[in-house]
Amino acid sequence: MHILEIPSFFPPYGGLFCLDQAKALKALDHEVRILSNVQLGLTVGWKDYCCLPSKRYEHEMDGIMVYQSFQRGLPKTVRLNVRHWVGIVCSMFKDYVAKYGMPDILHAHCAKWAGYAAMLISRDYGIPYFITEHLSYKVFEEEFGPAPSTAWQIRLLKEAYRQAACVIHVSEEQVDNIAPYFGRDYRWQYISNTIDVDFYHYQPRASLTGRPFRFCCLANYWALKGYDILFEAFRSLHVAHPQVELAIAGRGTDSKDFRSQLTEGMTTHGLISREEVRQLLYESDALVLASRSEVQPLVLLEAMSTGIPVVSTECTPRCLRLNGCTIVPVDDAQALAAAMRAVMTNTPTEGASLSARVAAIASPQVIGRQLGQLFSEVAGK
């Protein structure tokens, strides 16, 4: 099949889940490319805003061809920026067809706004489209206010859901999570995101004899990631175990405000590369995530794939709650500290089997087959 992936988000603003799925599908002999328009924000990263290319161009990422455009967003003009973004994607699709021919399937990542653009393209060209939804209620709430919302975007996104051949949720809980905004009146199926289990392969950790236990947290500096709760829990843990360490990485974690909250035993690395993420996991004994809202935190899968246990909150979907994943209530620093202490004193030795269980649910081979089968059922190929 000829599959065109259209992400709502893409580097430099995340969105590599789209690339991972594209690679998984290509490995199964599908013809796969990515069409990406990224809206740059001047206040988010002025260097990117000023320096990234202003013309559309093609480049390759991990063997996948990406047809790329960078849009300069205008401050405080949301409706205009959305209209411009969608128009660019539709125009890029026309150019794409002229060069590569008509795809059999459009696969959009997030209804806002790739899914909506895919709906418009589908109407004009008669191509079925799928939406993999990655966003949670909390993300929509920050932009649209509490549900039910009268924001103008809701009607358009509801329409994109209902017209899709299928909405692919990355966890079963996500359906109910976002239902207050979009209801359930659409076709949906659950398929996990994928991770590169060969890259995040199992590696035994060094003996704890003569060295401190090291936690890591890989999350951007954002209120929903619960760093305030993590810091409170770690400070409590550090009183009883002064040698314990917490290494942190993520966008914004090297900011002045973030660094001012760090105390003894904590270090931060800021935004790091994929290779550096893996190295940090290999240098750690457990990962901790104090999130207030998640749909499917891939970092938990990546950590368990390397063979270390994780401590997370009740917003973690059931599909990730493997042996080796400890769950605590949201916004409960005391419970989080107790769970971290338990992991320190009862470190599991079955890292290899934990890694194998992750591969069974999220390897590129598994997810590529599931996506390919779903697409084939609709495309008749």
Side-chain angles (χ1 to χ4, degrees):
M1 275 185 301
H2 181 177
I3 302 165
L4 181 61
E5 304 274 342
I6 307 177
S8 297
F9 314 99
F10 211 59
Y13 300 151
L16 287 177
F17 39 71
C18 171
L19 179 63
D20 289 339
Q21 292 196 358
K23 289 160 58 180
L25 288 162
K26 184 177 180 180
L28 296 175
D29 295 326
H30 297 291
E31 179 184 356
V32 188
R33 299 181 187 88
I34 295 173
L35 187 158
S36 169
N37 178 40
V38 176
Q39 179 180 307
L40 302 173
L42 184 58
T43 58
V44 177
W46 65 269
K47 288 185 179 179
D48 290 333
Y49 193 95
C50 297
C51 299
L52 284 173
S54 57
K55 294 183 179 179
R56 303 172 188 178
Y57 68 103
E58 293 184 3
H59 62 105
E60 192 172 288
M61 295 181 69
D62 290 358
I64 302 294
M65 195 287 288
V66 180
Y67 183 28
Q68 184 75 64
S69 174
F70 292 107
Q71 168 191 342
R72 271 65 185 176
L74 300 176
K76 300 181 180 180
T77 57
V78 175
R79 194 186 293 260
L80 178 62
N81 285 333
V82 169
R83 188 182 303 125
H84 191 199
W85 192 95
V86 171
I88 289 173
V89 169
C90 292
S91 173
M92 292 175 71
F93 180 79
K94 184 177 180 180
D95 295 341
Y96 176 91
V97 170
K99 185 169 184 178
Y100 295 106
M102 198 75 69
D104 300 306
I105 294 291
L106 300 176
H107 183 200
H109 291 265
C110 301
K112 187 176 83 71
W113 287 99
Y116 180 73
M119 181 189 72
L120 299 182
I121 294 169
S122 176
R123 287 177 179 176
D124 289 342
Y125 293 86
I127 306 168
Y129 73 96
F130 294 76
I131 300 171
T132 289
E133 189 55 78
H134 302 268
L135 302 182
S136 69
Y137 178 95
K138 289 289 187 180
V139 175
F140 291 117
E141 183 181 43
E142 284 201 350
E143 184 167 355
F144 305 144
S149 171
T150 59
W152 60 269
Q153 295 98 322
I154 298 296
R155 177 182 60 83
L156 304 181
L157 298 178
K158 275 185 176 179
E159 189 177 6
Y161 281 133
R162 290 171 180 167
Q163 296 299 319
C166 187
V167 177
I168 303 167
H169 288 284
V170 296
S171 71
E172 293 178 286
E173 293 90 339
Q174 187 185 28
V175 180
D176 291 334
N177 180 260
I178 64 175
Y181 287 105
F182 307 112
R184 299 175 181 82
D185 184 21
Y186 56 86
R187 294 170 293 277
W188 69 271
Q189 183 168 327
Y190 154 63
I191 297 179
S192 170
N193 267 315
T194 185
I195 65 164
D196 188 339
V197 295
D198 291 330
F199 183 82
Y200 294 104
H201 59 82
Y202 168 69
Q203 180 168 297
R205 300 316 192 262
S207 170
L208 284 167
T209 303
R211 69 173 182 86
F213 192 100
R214 191 186 207 196
F215 287 96
C216 68
C217 179
L218 297 163
N220 294 337
Y221 183 28
W222 188 24
L224 291 182
K225 297 301 182 181
Y227 271 114
D228 54 330
I229 299 300
L230 175 57
F231 289 161
E232 183 180 347
F234 183 79
R235 285 192 290 267
S236 172
L237 183 65
H238 196 264
V239 170
H241 303 274
Q243 299 304 313
V244 67
E245 296 178 352
L246 173 62
I248 299 164
R251 184 184 296 275
T253 62
D254 56 352
S255 65
K256 183 178 180 180
D257 176 56
F258 189 89
R259 287 182 178 276
S260 70
Q261 301 174 62
L262 301 182
T263 55
E264 187 177 357
M266 303 180 192
T267 58
T268 183
H269 301 268
L271 185 63
I272 59 178
S273 69
R274 183 168 177 253
E275 289 73 20
E276 290 169 323
V277 165
R278 181 177 63 177
Q279 186 59 36
L280 183 56
L281 288 171
Y282 286 149
E283 294 170 355
S284 301
D285 303 297
L287 179 136
V288 58
L289 196 65
S291 292
R292 295 183 167 98
S293 178
E294 291 285 358
V295 175
Q296 195 200 36
L298 293 184
V299 68
L300 298 185
L301 285 171
E302 291 165 356
M304 290 187 288
S305 184
T306 69
I308 58 173
V310 300
V311 179
S312 190
T313 61
E314 288 177 338
C315 64
T316 302
R318 288 186 298 274
C319 58
L320 300 190
R321 298 187 185 189
L322 309 177
N323 291 334
C325 178
T326 301
I327 299 298
V328 301
V330 174
D331 283 337
D332 191 333
Q334 185 176 354
L336 184 63
M340 294 169 70
R341 185 178 299 109
V343 167
M344 288 177 61
T345 55
N346 298 286
T347 307
T349 57
E350 299 179 353
S353 61
L354 177 60
S355 179
R357 288 195 294 273
V358 171
I361 64 171
S363 71
Q365 294 82 2
V366 168
I367 302 307
R369 284 195 297 268
Q370 291 178 356
L371 289 171
Q373 181 178 350
L374 179 61
F375 296 164
S376 296
E377 290 171 356
V378 171
K381 294 193 176 186

